[in-house]
Amino acid sequence: MYVEIKQSPELSGEVSLYGAKNAVLVIMASLLLTSGKSLLKNVPASSDVLHMITLLESLGAVISFDHETHELWVDTSSVDKWRVHPDIMKKMRASILVMGPLLARFSRADIALPGGCVIGTRPIDFHLKNFSKMGVEIQSGGAYLKTHVRQLSAKDLVLEYPSIGATENLMMAAVCAPGTTRIINAALEPEVLDLITVLQKMGAQIAIEPPATIIIKGEDALKPIEHELVVDRLEAGAFLLAAAITGGTVFLSNANKDHLAVFLLKLEEMGHLVRSGPKGTGILFKATKSPQAVSFKTAPYPGFPTDLQAPMMAIQCLAQGRSVIDETVFENRLVHIRELQKMGAQISVEGSKAMVTGVDELYGASVIASDIRASCALAIAGLAAKGTTIMTGISHWRRGYDHLEKKLASLGASIALSHSLHLTKPLSETKSAQKY
Ligand code: EPZ
């Protein structure tokens, strides 16, 4: 399987977004805190969601997912296991997010270390250090990290870096720890705030104190919920960047502009037009025909999201001038550069910085997606590249998005999933492409 992308006309039209992948995964894990049937709405059918379904079913949950209505029913009343099989854990790092809920529910959790991925070593020391502070005993035995606690105790937990996963995991344990827990220097991404909304709906008492402290009062029992997910700002970013690189005009009907403030600022600095929709909601975007290169640095929310770094780099490749991109969140998240170079991009790297010099044209090539957001970057570059781009490594594309290619095609993009590789040379017909 691969994604075939051809040079596309200006994208145009309206599209609505699914719920955020990075919200639904942690919210599904949080349902282990309740015993009963919950309903989640606008759930993307991405393979990460399907992995989380498999994980929860392996613990005893009963789940039904309607791919048409994107409604997900999760019944946790029959959950009776606290051990997650290593084969399930290694499929998806977000599996680590069941640790807090299992400790709250069973006072124990046996999980395999999630391991790193291509974008970085991704340790879980912030999670483990603070779970220990809450009284959790942690032993590594064979394939498992065995953890148990007599009684979770409420504490002041300080994060040296506002880690999203650590904030979410500790919060889900703290909602069942008698007393008041404070998570200081917490992550406050829209997906974390959506989890807080869900926990509050379950009956948890949670407040946020500036600058970034989450205060949680422990509760005995939490109830099942019904919830419409926050929309996916990263899917929104993909559509806006696809429109930008093709010179198009799109309307994202249910996008939340406030969740993308710094990213949208950078698009405006390039010369693109960004507005709210007619009713003051959504995002209306109109590309400029002469985009200027901009520089940016990734940072925790509300800074420039690291998950849009690679896709935003793709459009800098065809912008006028030079862009300096500094990836500060993950130590190895520039792997997509060598694939963009195969397409004719001019990019040099110095430590965590990439220097992109805009070129007049990109060329179709065979490229390999190394992670979810790299796949998005290569697809976006392929929409503007001369000829045909063949993207393999599409498990990443499918992990992060629910048939994004179909939605892009509905806006006029020449992109499709293909099963059999029939092209011997995916390069564009033009002679000059040969040299790349
Ligand atoms: C979440 O990962 C997202 N995943 C990632 O999205 C996203 O890139 C990342 O946050 C940053 O925004 C999900 O929500 C499922 P972190 P997470 O803990 O929670 C270091 C995508 O493409 N760190 O905020 O794992 C870590 O190595 C994915 O959708 C420690 O050192 O990210 C990184 O450098 C990719 N020790 C930084 O903190 C720890 O214990 C931020 O990591 C935890 C983290």
Side-chain angles (χ1 to χ4, degrees):
M1 279 268 261
Y2 58 97
V3 180
E4 184 168 315
I5 311 129
K6 288 196 167 63
Q7 191 170 33
S8 300
E10 299 174 5
L11 299 196
S12 68
E14 176 171 338
V15 72
S16 71
L17 307 167
Y18 289 124
K21 171 191 79 84
N22 291 344
V24 67
L25 296 177
V26 66
I27 289 171
M28 287 171 73
S30 77
L31 299 176
L32 292 168
L33 294 166
T34 71
S35 189
K37 209 169 182 177
S38 292
L39 169 61
L40 300 180
K41 296 178 182 166
N42 201 15
V43 175
S46 60
S47 57
D48 269 7
V49 167
L50 304 181
H51 287 325
M52 188 56 90
I53 289 175
T54 307
L55 190 162
L56 295 179
E57 285 174 339
S58 77
L59 299 175
V62 176
I63 299 180
S64 64
F65 184 22
D66 184 327
H67 289 235
E68 297 307 315
T69 64
H70 292 275
E71 288 190 335
L72 179 76
W73 289 95
V74 180
D75 188 340
T76 52
S77 38
S78 51
V79 167
D80 57 358
K81 297 179 194 65
W82 54 81
R83 170 170 289 192
V84 183
H85 195 282
D87 292 351
I88 294 180
M89 280 300 290
K90 70 170 182 275
K91 283 246 171 64
M92 176 181 64
R93 276 193 57 78
S95 311
I96 188 76
L97 298 170
V98 299
M99 194 173 170
L102 288 175
L103 281 166
R105 185 180 181 121
F106 295 114
S107 302
R108 55 191 309 176
D110 292 358
I111 55 148
L113 276 176
C117 72
V118 69
I119 66 178
T121 52
R122 305 186 73 177
I124 56 167
D125 51 330
F126 304 160
H127 303 237
L128 300 183
K129 258 189 260 178
N130 288 291
F131 277 134
S132 306
K133 246 181 140 184
M134 297 177 82
V136 178
E137 290 186 29
I138 300 168
Q139 292 154 330
S140 54
Y144 287 100
L145 206 60
K146 295 186 174 172
T147 67
H148 69 91
V149 63
R150 245 169 315 133
Q151 163 95 69
L152 283 163
S153 33
K155 289 271 192 243
D156 275 3
L157 308 173
V158 181
L159 295 179
E160 62 189 86
Y161 184 93
S163 152
I164 293 175
T167 300
E168 295 169 334
N169 230 344
L170 298 167
M171 188 161 52
M172 291 187 285
V175 288
C176 293
T180 302
T181 297
R182 296 192 311 156
I183 303 177
I184 295 155
N185 192 25
L188 292 173
E189 270 69 2
E191 298 76 26
V192 176
L193 299 183
D194 205 35
L195 170 65
I196 290 176
T197 303
V198 162
L199 295 173
Q200 288 167 332
K201 278 184 180 176
M202 290 177 178
Q205 292 184 57
I206 302 178
I208 300 171
E209 220 175 61
T213 297
I214 300 177
I215 302 163
I216 306 127
K217 289 207 171 50
E219 284 296 326
D220 295 340
L222 298 171
K223 60 182 189 300
I225 51 101
E226 203 170 297
H227 183 68
E228 170 117 17
L229 296 163
V230 66
V231 294
D232 198 328
R233 61 195 166 113
L234 306 173
E235 190 191 12
F239 289 121
L240 297 176
L241 293 167
I245 207 165
T246 58
T249 300
V250 294
F251 176 48
L252 309 184
S253 55
N254 59 348
N256 185 328
K257 237 167 133 243
D258 298 341
H259 290 172
L260 286 166
V262 175
F263 169 71
L264 297 177
L265 171 73
K266 287 293 160 186
L267 288 179
E268 286 177 318
E269 285 177 4
M270 291 185 77
H272 299 299
L273 188 92
V274 181
R275 291 281 178 279
S276 299
K279 299 194 191 84
T281 55
I283 297 177
L284 186 59
F285 175 88
K286 186 171 173 32
T288 172
K289 297 292 182 251
S290 51
Q292 303 303 307
V294 293
S295 298
F296 60 93
K297 173 187 260 196
T298 64
Y301 188 83
F304 191 101
T306 173
D307 296 336
L308 287 174
Q309 175 259 102
M312 183 70 161
M313 184 187 289
I315 75 166
Q316 302 310 316
C317 298
L318 289 170
Q320 287 154 26
R322 196 160 172 272
S323 150
V324 178
I325 298 168
D326 191 356
E327 173 52 57
T328 73
V329 178
F330 289 104
E331 72 276 16
N332 191 34
R333 200 171 206 178
L334 298 174
V335 181
H336 46 278
I337 289 178
R338 66 168 178 257
E339 303 306 308
L340 289 171
Q341 288 168 333
K342 280 186 195 166
M343 301 174 77
Q346 285 203 11
I347 310 175
S348 59
V349 176
E350 235 171 78
S352 66
K353 290 195 177 71
M355 278 65 72
V356 183
T357 305
V359 295
D360 298 337
E361 286 180 324
L362 293 177
Y363 303 94
S366 276
V367 292
I368 306 165
S370 51
D371 63 84
I372 295 173
R373 310 307 166 181
S375 71
C376 181
L378 299 174
I380 286 169
L383 295 176
K386 267 188 166 322
T388 305
T389 298
I390 300 290
M391 179 169 72
T392 51
I394 66 155
S395 59
H396 301 293
W397 175 258
R398 313 208 57 190
R399 282 193 49 209
Y401 308 100
D402 177 352
H403 294 92
L404 183 57
E405 71 283 352
K406 287 193 180 146
K407 282 183 163 181
L408 285 168
S410 74
L411 297 171
S414 309
I415 182 168
L417 273 185
S418 291
H419 292 273
S420 59
L421 201 57
H422 53 273
L423 288 172
T424 49
K425 280 205 290 6
L427 298 182
S428 79
E429 284 59 77
T430 56
K431 266 256 141 285
S432 56
Q434 304 306 326
K435 68 178 185 288
Y436 283 98

